[in-house]
Amino acid sequence: MRKRSDSNKCFICAKAKRQQQQSAQSERKSTLRYGDEPNKNRSQLRQGVIDERSMYMTATSFNPIQIQQATLTSANQPLTLKQGQVFQGTIKQLYPDQMAEIQVGHQKFVAKLEVPLKAGDAHFFQVTGTSPQTELKVVTGPMEQTTSQSQQINQLLESMNLPKTAEMQQLLAHFMKAQLPISKEQLMQAEMWLKGLPEDVTKMDALQAIQKMVEFKMPMTNDVFQALISGQKTNGMISVMENFTQLLTKEIALPENLKQNLMQQVQAIAKPFEVETGSLVLAKSIQILTNNAASMSEKIQAMNILKEAGILPQQATLQNWSSLSDVKSIQSNQFQQAGEVIQAILTTKSDNINHLADQLKSWTANQSLLTDEQKQSLNQLIDRFNQLPATKQTLEIFAKQMQEQLIKAFAENSSERLFTQDANALSVKDHLLSLLKHEATTPLQNEAFMRSLMKNSVESPQSMIQQIVTQADAHVQNSMDSKAMEHALKTVLKNLGVSYEATLNNKSADLQQIAHQLKPQLHTLLQETHISPQLKEAAEMLMTRMNGMQLASGENGHQHQLIMQVPLEFFGKKMDATLQWNGRMKEDGKIDANYARILFYLQMESMKETVIDMQVQNRVVSVTVFNENDDIIPLAEPLKAALKIGLAEKEYQLSGVFIKQFEKAQPAKTTPVVEQQEEHSGVDFRV
């Protein structure tokens, strides 16, 4: 078999999805659906997915939802047979012309048999045809009720001439229990994977991945298998990123522009708050420049650091640093960036002054990043201007005053509105840069300016600049709240570009921003022929991780599952975070916010392994925290009230917070679940 080019690995998820759809279409004629009997377990299984009150979590476990989801999938999806597949079924009823009703698990279908059989017997069957009707060949003789599973497996191994290895027996036992059809070719391929598993992958994880490949008709390729294995992991993303970064730094054969782009993106992922810290450095530098009490030396240092970052032009002086030399007309009547406000003043016609004044007041009133006092001061300035004759000189003076006032206002508000955006998704730094830069800039360019400013500031030998950076870092740390965490997760996921293939289908997507994400750049990197084998392997491993998130996520009718692995780094502390969301979709295709189950798997330096299980039932939320450290119990109590208030603001009700230790892994017992709950150690906080 010819080895597939590495350049295609990036599109493995999209290809897998396409092949799934094509396979489903080609097999539509042989699709066998439920009989008229209701599935008694279906509602119970759905209840288990989103409404299970108590879950016992073992350390490093990741499968509570996944296993239930797999069971639900096999129960709800129509059984689709392909030629060559083997499965175990029971003959329920015989019809003329060697037709028979076969039951596989909860599903029944009618097929033609090659030889007459007796009703009630169980056999292994092999599909020999699917069109115009399903035709089956009997692979083994009738299975007696007293026949053990090992005896059944041995019969099947001999009948199909399969190797009698431990791995093959495990595969057959697994698919017999799951009651899923599988072909001989798939079994042989799966056996090879089981034999070559690395030490950090368990046989159960591999079997779950193989089952998903067969169940969802994914291509039986090593790339898909490895991606699914990676998608089941809850740790290691940080180490994969670090290994890739170290090798990328040492790589000498890579084109410099590609290397720089990759390094910038890796840096953006490793430091999700760097842009916000940079915006504080920008604001503080501007405050020094506008402060009459600041010394000449301080002002020069502040101006030079902004010049080095490309925020101010090299010819800027202390007298003209805030002036706008280039005048551009504003095409739209709606202002967004503050810089557009100034440009509109400079380009307005004398007969349009009253209309301009109304526009300025409307923009000021709707600008959520300004305080009421600042809005009042700006409105007073607009009123004074409206009373003067509309000359070119008047407009220039008014523009300069308006610009200075806006620069000062946004700089003052930077610390209080660090993670806040206005109605146009613009932050304080975006408005400040629009007031300082002569040319229009995009959010992507603004982030680049902030990272450049941070780099130059950190490397600056000036003690004043170092002090500004230290104060900015401290302020960001002290501002950590839910908005900050939401910002960090969004920043990391956006820069990873996990779902960039799907984003390309969005006509309104910013293609330039998408191209700067890590995943498309990894695709470009893997096309390079001169990179070292070590870097290529590290890039493939990182790509596999991201593909695994997509393949491990999926949908089954109204039920949806989403898995995200996020490498987080906060102020020198590194953490692997995995989010697993299970919920359902409403008839209009939107997420039903009334019901969900969300698990957070966290690997932290201090608290170590932590799992947070949040269950939402009819907008009532219960939270269970699993951790081996008893010291977190008193720490959780004061946070409970804040959690209750925060959920109430979103129209959710908190029912309780439960702190529990991981259940020790033990052999399965027949003890009822209620008794197990009584033995479970932990402290419950009820509201």
Side-chain angles (χ1 to χ4, degrees):
M1 183 180 293
R2 186 173 62 184
K3 187 176 180 181
R4 186 173 53 81
S5 169
D6 293 320
S7 64
N8 292 327
K9 287 190 176 181
C10 181
F11 298 101
I12 181 175
C13 297
K15 182 179 179 182
K17 295 291 185 185
R18 286 198 302 272
Q19 292 198 20
Q20 283 178 251
Q21 295 170 355
Q22 293 170 358
S23 176
Q25 291 174 355
S26 65
E27 296 160 10
R28 188 168 296 166
K29 291 183 179 179
S30 62
T31 297
L32 311 166
R33 300 188 178 276
Y34 281 109
D36 295 331
E37 287 187 0
N39 182 1
K40 298 178 182 179
N41 294 330
R42 193 180 308 180
S43 61
Q44 297 172 358
L45 288 166
R46 181 177 291 113
Q47 181 90 357
V49 171
I50 61 175
D51 188 32
E52 184 185 358
R53 281 289 303 193
S54 296
M55 179 194 70
Y56 290 93
M57 186 77 65
T58 58
T60 68
S61 67
F62 184 65
N63 292 323
I65 291 182
Q66 188 176 20
I67 291 175
Q68 293 169 2
Q69 180 76 3
T71 308
L72 179 66
T73 300
S74 59
N76 283 342
Q77 279 199 336
L79 180 65
T80 304
L81 297 177
K82 292 176 62 178
Q83 190 156 334
Q85 285 182 328
V86 176
F87 61 91
Q88 186 179 26
T90 302
I91 299 174
K92 303 300 292 183
Q93 192 168 346
L94 296 174
Y95 300 107
D97 298 326
Q98 295 182 201
M99 301 296 291
E101 183 183 62
I102 313 292
Q103 179 166 340
V104 181
H106 297 285
Q107 305 185 48
K108 296 178 183 179
F109 62 92
V110 176
K112 185 172 184 178
L113 305 177
E114 289 188 350
V115 294
L117 296 175
K118 187 175 70 174
D121 283 349
H123 299 264
F124 277 102
F125 298 96
Q126 186 171 29
V127 182
T128 57
T130 58
S131 179
Q133 62 190 2
T134 303
E135 297 182 1
L136 304 177
K137 179 177 75 173
V138 180
V139 179
T140 64
M143 302 288 181
E144 303 291 338
Q145 292 185 353
T146 57
T147 305
S148 66
Q149 185 184 63
S150 60
Q151 290 174 322
Q152 295 178 24
I153 290 174
N154 284 330
Q155 283 189 42
L156 185 60
L157 290 173
E158 292 176 0
S159 301
M160 295 188 68
N161 195 25
L162 290 168
K164 295 182 179 181
T165 62
E167 289 79 12
M168 185 62 76
Q169 292 179 31
Q170 283 180 301
L171 279 165
L172 288 174
H174 182 85
F175 277 88
M176 284 172 60
K177 184 177 180 181
Q179 296 181 322
L180 283 173
I182 184 171
S183 69
K184 181 177 180 179
E185 292 74 18
Q186 289 173 324
L187 286 168
M188 297 297 290
Q189 178 62 69
E191 184 202 26
M192 288 177 57
W193 287 331
L194 288 183
K195 286 181 176 180
L197 289 179
E199 293 182 359
D200 61 337
V201 178
T202 66
K203 288 282 182 68
M204 181 52 65
D205 287 339
L207 289 169
Q208 289 288 343
I210 295 166
Q211 177 180 334
K212 188 157 191 172
M213 295 172 73
V214 173
E215 198 169 6
F216 289 92
K217 307 171 191 65
M218 297 180 184
M220 292 291 288
T221 65
N222 189 58
D223 291 334
V224 175
F225 175 69
Q226 294 298 334
L228 282 172
I229 290 293
S230 296
Q232 295 174 172
K233 293 182 178 179
T234 62
N235 56 18
M237 190 67 168
I238 283 281
S239 60
V240 170
M241 285 288 298
E242 286 181 339
N243 181 47
F244 172 74
T245 305
Q246 291 172 3
L247 292 169
L248 179 64
T249 305
K250 300 174 183 177
E251 186 66 37
I252 58 175
L254 202 60
E256 191 60 29
N257 62 331
L258 177 58
K259 183 175 181 178
Q260 288 301 318
N261 288 338
L262 280 165
M263 288 300 299
Q264 288 174 8
Q265 210 58 32
V266 167
Q267 189 79 354
I269 294 167
K271 297 183 178 180
F273 297 122
E274 187 179 41
V275 170
E276 282 61 45
T277 309
S279 68
L280 291 177
V281 174
L282 171 65
K284 184 61 178 177
S285 301
I286 290 174
Q287 286 177 314
I288 291 173
L289 286 170
T290 57
N291 184 5
N292 294 329
S295 67
M296 185 68 69
S297 174
E298 290 174 334
K299 289 187 176 184
I300 291 175
Q301 289 181 47
M303 184 177 65
N304 286 340
I305 203 69
L306 296 180
K307 282 184 179 182
E308 292 173 8
I311 296 172
L312 291 180
Q314 292 301 315
Q315 65 270 24
T317 65
L318 292 178
Q319 289 72 36
N320 69 1
W321 64 270
S322 64
S323 64
L324 288 169
S325 59
D326 297 336
V327 180
K328 304 177 183 66
S329 61
I330 303 299
Q331 301 297 325
S332 173
N333 290 326
Q334 297 296 323
F335 310 135
Q336 292 188 0
Q337 296 183 349
E340 295 175 347
V341 172
I342 309 305
Q343 294 287 3
I345 296 172
L346 293 171
T347 58
T348 194
K349 304 295 184 182
S350 58
D351 58 351
N352 199 35
I353 296 300
N354 292 333
H355 180 61
L356 174 64
D358 292 339
Q359 284 184 298
L360 294 177
K361 284 193 173 184
S362 175
W363 180 86
T364 302
N366 295 325
Q367 183 44 254
S368 60
L369 299 177
L370 296 173
T371 66
D372 290 339
E373 291 181 358
Q374 291 167 345
K375 291 179 181 180
Q376 184 178 358
S377 178
L378 287 168
N379 283 330
Q380 290 173 355
L381 180 60
I382 295 169
D383 289 336
R384 288 199 301 270
F385 156 71
N386 206 19
Q387 296 171 3
L388 297 175
T391 65
K392 182 180 180 181
Q393 184 179 11
T394 304
L395 289 170
E396 289 178 352
I397 293 173
F398 174 53
K400 183 174 178 57
Q401 291 174 341
M402 193 78 171
Q403 182 192 14
E404 290 175 350
Q405 204 156 319
L406 284 171
I407 287 175
K408 185 177 180 181
F410 282 117
E412 288 176 353
N413 298 348
S414 182
S415 59
E416 295 299 323
R417 288 165 170 77
L418 193 57
F419 298 102
T420 307
Q421 293 181 330
D422 62 16
N424 295 311
L426 297 172
S427 63
V428 167
K429 74 172 184 306
D430 295 322
H431 288 292
L432 281 175
L433 288 171
S434 74
L435 290 164
L436 297 175
K437 298 292 295 177
H438 293 179
E439 67 277 0
T441 56
T442 64
L444 191 64
Q445 290 172 319
N446 290 346
E447 290 183 10
F449 283 128
M450 292 301 97
R451 297 191 190 282
S452 176
L453 178 61
M454 279 303 300
K455 180 177 182 298
N456 294 330
S457 299
V458 170
E459 296 174 355
S460 173
Q462 303 295 335
S463 59
M464 187 197 77
I465 301 299
Q466 289 297 318
Q467 186 178 1
I468 291 175
V469 173
T470 302
Q471 292 172 351
D473 272 329
H475 185 85
V476 172
Q477 290 191 43
N478 294 331
S479 301
M480 292 296 293
D481 57 10
S482 59
K483 284 186 177 180
M485 291 303 299
E486 178 186 3
H487 167 83
L489 286 170
K490 285 183 176 180
T491 298
V492 172
L493 288 172
K494 180 188 72 174
N495 287 305
L496 281 172
V498 174
S499 302
Y500 97 98
E501 297 99 336
T503 311
L504 289 174
N505 293 326
N506 186 352
K507 294 181 180 179
S508 61
D510 186 341
L511 296 180
Q512 183 182 10
Q513 190 171 34
I514 293 173
H516 278 79
Q517 294 174 347
L518 182 60
K519 191 175 182 182
Q521 291 194 63
L522 284 176
H523 171 60
T524 304
L525 174 65
L526 290 172
Q527 290 178 314
E528 292 290 332
T529 57
H530 301 298
I531 62 172
S532 65
Q534 294 82 3
L535 178 60
K536 185 177 182 180
E537 182 181 355
E540 288 174 341
M541 188 176 296
L542 186 53
M543 183 79 81
T544 299
R545 276 283 182 144
M546 287 191 274
N547 286 337
M549 297 183 215
Q550 291 176 275
L551 291 178
S553 304
E555 61 184 80
N556 176 41
H558 292 303
Q559 294 292 327
H560 281 239
Q561 176 168 283
L562 176 67
I563 294 176
M564 294 183 289
Q565 298 174 7
V566 188
L568 296 176
E569 184 173 344
F570 301 141
F571 317 111
K573 297 287 186 180
K574 298 177 181 179
M575 174 175 64
D576 275 314
T578 300
L579 182 149
Q580 186 177 10
W581 174 87
N582 266 67
R584 63 192 191 188
M585 308 299 285
K586 296 187 290 186
E587 294 297 330
D588 59 2
K590 296 181 180 179
I591 292 175
D592 188 346
N594 297 321
Y595 302 90
R597 184 172 181 182
I598 306 172
L599 287 102
F600 295 91
Y601 297 81
L602 308 174
Q603 299 286 343
M604 297 180 284
E605 290 188 11
S606 300
M607 290 179 61
K608 306 302 179 186
E609 183 179 21
T610 304
V611 177
I612 302 171
D613 179 14
M614 186 179 85
Q615 301 187 50
V616 183
Q617 182 76 17
N618 199 21
R619 301 192 79 84
V620 176
V621 180
S622 65
V623 179
T624 305
V625 180
F626 293 88
N627 188 275
E628 291 298 307
N629 191 346
D630 292 333
D631 295 339
I632 70 171
I633 295 174
L635 297 175
E637 181 63 28
L639 299 175
K640 181 180 61 174
L643 176 61
K644 182 180 180 181
I645 294 171
L647 288 171
E649 290 175 352
K650 301 294 183 182
E651 299 181 357
Y652 288 91
Q653 178 186 346
L654 180 66
S655 69
V657 177
F658 313 100
I659 311 294
K660 297 182 179 181
Q661 292 187 341
F662 290 109
E663 182 78 358
K664 304 300 181 184
Q666 294 178 351
K669 296 181 180 180
T670 57
T671 311
V673 173
V674 174
E675 295 182 20
Q676 291 181 11
Q677 291 176 351
E678 293 174 355
E679 295 174 2
H680 197 84
S681 62
V683 177
D684 293 351
F685 294 114
R686 287 199 174 275
V687 178

